[in-house]
Amino acid sequence: MLPVSPLAALLLLASPLDCPPGTALSGGGPPELFEAWCTGRPDAYGTPRRHGPARSWYDTGALRVEAHWAEGRRDGAFIEHHRDGKPARTGQYARDEKVGTWTIWFESGQLEERSEYVRDVQHGPFTAWFRTGGKRTEGRYCHGVQCGAWTTWDEEGRLVGRMEFGEQRATP
């Protein structure tokens, strides 16, 4: 495979989207426009809905967001980029709700935060890091509330403290 130049990669990302059958391309890419998406059937009020891939770009032409829509709701992979092209935030949507692992990065490319989601609510392991790469906080969420043991460190890796939040259930 031949290496792709940065300009060629930018032009590839700015190319028209591959819209699914029955949809039409709306908007456009740089340099004239900075958001492109596929428009599908209108909703009950006649408003066109996004359906298929979508992209947006920074004013520099660099890719900002890649997402997928289904019947007007975010549905599928979501990737937000920093201006330099490195990932800023990645995750998955299902019917407009965050699901699975969501990851956030500092502009340097170092991990900043990783969290689990169930139906748009944090639920499961959570970890946050300092810009230097050391762990800052680690714990768990239960239905959007901190639960179980949480640990916090300072930037030198020394234990700052531990806290026990108890367990949370979705039912009384």
Side-chain angles (χ1 to χ4, degrees), residues 4-17 29-31 55 57 61-63:
V4 177
S5 73
L7 178 59
L10 181 63
L11 292 173
L12 176 66
L13 293 173
S15 65
L17 299 172
R55 288 190 194 123
W57 294 267
L63 186 61

Side-chain angles (χ1 to χ4, degrees), residues 10-123:
L10 181 63
L11 292 173
L12 176 66
L13 293 173
S15 65
L17 299 172
D18 187 16
C19 292
T23 65
L25 179 63
S26 296
E32 293 84 21
L33 300 173
F34 294 93
E35 187 173 16
W37 65 94
C38 300
T39 303
R41 296 179 312 183
D43 63 17
Y45 302 102
T47 305
R49 294 187 286 190
R50 292 182 181 212
H51 187 80
R55 288 190 194 123
S56 64
W57 294 267
Y58 288 105
D59 55 355
T60 60
L63 186 61
R64 185 169 124 10
V65 172
E66 298 173 89
H68 194 274
W69 294 74
E71 302 296 330
R73 295 179 177 179
R74 289 170 295 190
D75 195 78
F78 176 89
I79 303 170
E80 181 179 353
H81 301 272
H82 289 290
R83 284 185 168 269
D84 65 2
K86 292 177 186 168
R89 180 182 326 249
T90 62
Q92 191 83 10
Y93 280 99
R95 299 182 57 81
D96 225 14
E97 295 178 331
K98 290 179 178 179
V99 295
T101 303
W102 278 74
T103 306
I104 301 171
W105 288 271
F106 290 108
E107 287 185 36
S108 66
Q110 172 63 44
L111 279 172
E112 181 176 1
E113 193 175 289
R114 181 170 286 140
S115 188
E116 295 291 321
Y117 282 81
V118 174
R119 299 194 68 207
D120 216 30
V121 175
Q122 284 181 298
H123 185 75

Side-chain angles (χ1 to χ4, degrees), residues 145-165:
V145 178
Q146 289 176 298
C147 63
W150 280 69
T151 307
T152 302
W153 298 270
D154 68 13
E155 288 196 63
E156 283 73 43
R158 294 181 300 246
L159 179 67
V160 172
R162 285 198 171 103
M163 184 73 168
E164 179 64 47
F165 287 93

